[in-house]
Amino acid sequence: MPPMIEQSFMKALFHGVIAEDMIFPYPELPSDDRENTAMILDSVRRYFAANVDAAKIDREHAIPPEVMDGLKSLGLFGLQIPTDHDGIGLSASAYARVMQEVGGLDGSIAVTLGAHQSIGLKGILLFGTPEQKRKYLPKLATGEWTAAFALTEPSAGSDAAAIKTRAELSADGSHYVLNGAKIWITNGGFADVFTVFARTSSMEEGAKPKITAFIVERGMGVKNGPNEHKLGIRGSSTTELFFDDVKVPKENVLGEVGRGFKVAMEVLNSGRLGLASGSLGMCEVLLKLALERVNERRAFGRAIGEFGLIKDKVSAMLAQTYALESMTYLTAGIVDGKVSDYSLESAICKVFGSETLWYVVNDTLQIAAGIGYMQDYPYERMMRDARINLIFEGTNEILRCFIALSGMQGPGKALSDVVKAMREPIKGFGLLSDFAVRKARSVLGRERLTRAHPLLSREAVIFEEFTGELASNTELVLRKHGKEIAEMQFTQKRIAEMSIDLFAIASCIARTTRAIERRGEEGARREIDLTSIFTTAAQKRLRQNVHDFSRNDDELRKAVASRAYTDRAYPFDIV
Amino acid sequence: MKILVPLKRVADPDNANKVKIPAAGDKIETTGLEWKPNPFDEYALEAALRLTENGQTPKVRAGEVVVVTFGPKETEQTLRAALATGADRAIRIDTTDDKLDGDLVARALAALIEKEKPDVVVMGKQAVDGDSNQVGQILAELLDWPMATFAATIKEEAGALVVSREVDGGVATMRVKLPAIVTVDLRIVAPTSVYSTKTAATFKYNDGVRFAALPAIMAAKKKLLVEIKLADLAADQALKVEYKAFQAPPARKAGIKVKDVTELVTRLKNEAKVL
């Protein structure tokens, strides 16, 4: 079956194939790793309790230098760097768990640590030569040096191909000369080592720009602007970077010349998973705040927790957070299982994680009501800190397009192969018959999720049903629009939303199945109930999205938007 | 100086409401409990580390700290955490919690001490689960060693320790010759509580116990942790303390509101019988 070449659970799902062996049994930390992680978390909690004042960091727009030093000597700067290079050598799952903890304790520190190791030095870990690793990783692991990731430019954000920073090879071929500027670079004010993306082909060459990644040291001539004033994560440093004839030895090319785009994508895949775990940590802390508040605050002679509308919020937040936790550690487990393609899963984690957090912070603030709005309490700071997650490392809008288009690539290719095969019926017979078998299966009986526990059969059936819908609608829109699908963002959004909900349901089912197998129905009551609540809510969204493929007002919306662009303002006034 | 520190894990005191007693009342249900090192034992470890270093350079160990615990395999996590914090070596005496009492623990420790020959045993004054407060004292008796209990400060001298404990209205200070048993109270982790002969008298520690940096946690994996059978230390495993029954404290009754002072006084007199 040709479409099964996919090495990704979600990519296979776009073909209608449920590759359940990739998600069952739900992964867990090996006992050795669990013990280490428990000790690490204990140290992190003790350190933060004694030394970190999140409100003060926010108020003073800075992480105090002694706290930075403390975090470094604790070892938090080298979490995933292998022990051979003086790091801690954590697995992706253990790293996610530690970042979850830090995310809940302080947003500014979480973002600073994430910019350093989730993305800043990740390129060296993934693509560095042995020499580059030897030179940079040990100092980055101890925090003696810190790292930053420099991709975004004034006219190139999500559109990395529009990068203007130039890298020109010197006449003798010994080094590159970098010229240009980067914006919104986290850790830009103090980082010593930058992963910089620059164009190694001229701007005029047309459609195919060549982007190359470089390891650039501050001492090579990198300058930065002042710290930006931000809505949230105010203790983190965000600056512009300037490259004015910065000479970078050719040994500092990261990966291959002209393959920088691949470096950026791989780094961001892993970075997005880090954001999801940080978001999860904040959700956890917010839930604790909310659950304290509903017991304390009284109205009409009762604790507000007794009211239905509060219970509605609390149960929904729990279910959503459970889904987020389930997909985050499923994806981390997939990474640790050495599955190389987790781009779709980690993009889903980032979108779902940041939006779950936004929803949880909003409802927790609403439950806190008056005090939620006051600066003396942590809610408003957490809301401001949370907001960035929907924006950086790929906006959630661009990631929805990415999820849809990247997921549809496989089926699109399969379709064009079938078209080719039909032109050469004899040569293409095998391909056609495989395709027919798969087609028949998705039409006659759907793909089954056989490893779900029978107690979750309602959820499994919903998952199977909408997996069928995802695959058939993918095929439908591909047949209908062909290459034009790249421009159909309303459709992409529907496809993306469906994939996000399906991955969340699958994660909940896999994890809850493990819980039932371990602890029985009563022991896994909480997991079973949250899976049920989440899946019911997701089912409504899935139905709506399926419905909207054929019946929608997309064209009207586009027309209204275009007219407003001409009006340049809200067009009415009652006066 | 070589110091032995016995450690015990206890059910997380912050989650005391998770402790359940089955209807039969014959035991405490321990499944599903979260475990933590007994806080007084953590203080004892901190005191032992302070006694085997120059406070200015805590990464350089001067002397040896050996930690020991009694329990099943899972209790090794308590030992690993101690190794990560700075202890040099660990011993787990294989047994289960419900087959121990203070006397048996002390006898097994005495046998272990014959082999290990530490200069000092530093231990928590008691475990916060059973609150027996026995082992240190029995151990000193069995070994015929001097003991200092409820230590609030320890200062090392050549061949001796000067130990003070807080008593009603003041501080009692004594000097014990080594080898000795010292049990510690919570004040022992204050900034100026413990001084080895290497630490300058002007030095101040951070308040509380130290915690492990991440590289030390990973490195602790390589430190020696050996298992000894309880039978190899104590042939006679008979218990002297027998628990007859366990009972949860009665649930608190709701309070009442009184309308005036007269009613309050009447009720205090007639119902509460405190006046």
Side-chain angles (χ1 to χ4, degrees), chain B residues 107-176:
Chain B
R107 282 188 286 123
L109 281 178
L112 181 69
I113 288 164
E114 299 289 335
K115 287 196 219 171
E116 287 285 336
K117 303 199 187 327
D119 301 300
V120 195
V121 178
V122 181
M123 54 201 297
K125 64 167 183 175
Q126 67 198 58
V128 298
D129 49 3
D131 283 324
S132 306
N133 187 341
Q134 292 176 343
V135 176
Q137 293 87 333
I138 300 175
L139 185 58
E141 176 65 27
L142 291 174
L143 293 167
D144 198 20
W145 283 11
M147 79 174 178
T149 52
F150 307 159
T153 66
I154 306 174
K155 301 221 170 16
E156 186 194 359
E157 290 183 354
L161 297 176
V162 175
V163 180
S164 77
R165 70 189 280 186
E166 293 178 341
V167 292
D168 286 348
V171 174
T173 305
M174 66 186 94
R175 191 161 171 280
V176 287

Side-chain angles (χ1 to χ4, degrees), chain A residues 16-254:
Chain A
V17 175
I18 300 174
E20 56 181 347
D21 290 349
M22 294 183 86
I23 61 166
F24 284 94
Y26 187 83
E28 60 186 339
L29 287 175
S31 70
D32 206 37
D33 227 11
R34 197 166 52 228
E35 195 178 289
N36 287 338
T37 310
M39 280 195 266
I40 290 171
L41 293 178
D42 187 55
S43 287
V44 168
R45 284 183 200 121
R46 289 181 194 228
Y47 179 79
F48 275 73
N51 300 289
V52 176
D53 179 347
K56 185 161 173 257
I57 289 175
D58 178 61
R59 205 164 51 237
E60 298 184 353
H61 295 210
I63 301 167
E66 63 274 15
V67 171
M68 284 294 272
D69 289 344
L71 297 168
K72 288 171 185 175
S73 54
L74 199 55
L76 286 176
F77 279 68
L79 292 171
Q80 270 199 289
I81 295 177
T83 45
D84 318 350
H85 292 112
D86 300 347
I88 310 296
L90 294 186
S91 65
S93 305
Y95 175 68
R97 183 61 191 83
V98 175
M99 289 306 278
Q100 173 187 337
E101 199 67 26
V102 177
L105 291 167
D106 187 81
S108 294
I109 293 178
V111 166
T112 301
L113 290 178
H116 169 73
Q117 55 200 324
S118 279
I119 53 176
L121 62 80
K122 193 78 187 184
I124 303 179
L125 267 186
L126 294 173
F127 295 93
T129 62
E131 291 72 34
Q132 289 170 340
K133 289 182 177 175
R134 263 200 301 278
K135 179 167 180 196
Y136 292 103
L137 290 181
K139 283 184 172 157
L140 290 166
T142 56
E144 184 183 338
W145 284 351
T146 51
F149 181 82
L151 174 66
T152 306
E153 298 185 3
S155 56
S158 297
D159 176 16
I163 283 174
K164 288 203 175 97
T165 297
R166 290 290 312 270
E168 274 184 89
L169 195 58
S170 62
D172 64 354
S174 69
H175 62 268
Y176 286 85
V177 180
L178 266 62
N179 277 290
K182 298 284 177 181
I183 54 168
W184 301 325
I185 305 308
T186 309
N187 294 355
F190 54 79
D192 308 279
V193 179
F194 302 85
T195 301
V196 179
F197 297 86
R199 169 179 296 269
T200 38
S201 59
S202 69
M203 204 63 194
E204 296 70 42
E205 268 173 40
K208 274 275 178 195
K210 287 207 183 336
I211 306 292
T212 301
F214 296 90
I215 306 170
V216 183
E217 296 173 26
R218 180 174 289 270
M220 293 170 183
V222 182
K223 298 274 185 292
N224 64 271
N227 282 335
E228 304 283 356
H229 299 286
K230 305 188 292 285
L231 173 70
I233 52 165
R234 289 182 170 170
S236 66
S237 160
T238 308
T239 73
E240 281 183 86
L241 293 181
F242 306 103
F243 302 87
D244 196 3
D245 285 334
V246 172
K247 285 185 187 163
V248 181
K250 72 172 189 333
E251 293 75 32
N252 279 33
V253 168
L254 188 55

Side-chain angles (χ1 to χ4, degrees), chain A residues 350-352 354-355 389-392 394-401 403:
Chain A
K350 193 272 190 183
V351 172
F352 188 80
S354 55
E355 290 177 11
N389 288 291
L390 294 94
I391 299 172
F392 64 5
T395 65
N396 286 12
E397 288 69 26
I398 207 77
L399 285 180
R400 280 192 163 79
C401 298
I403 291 163

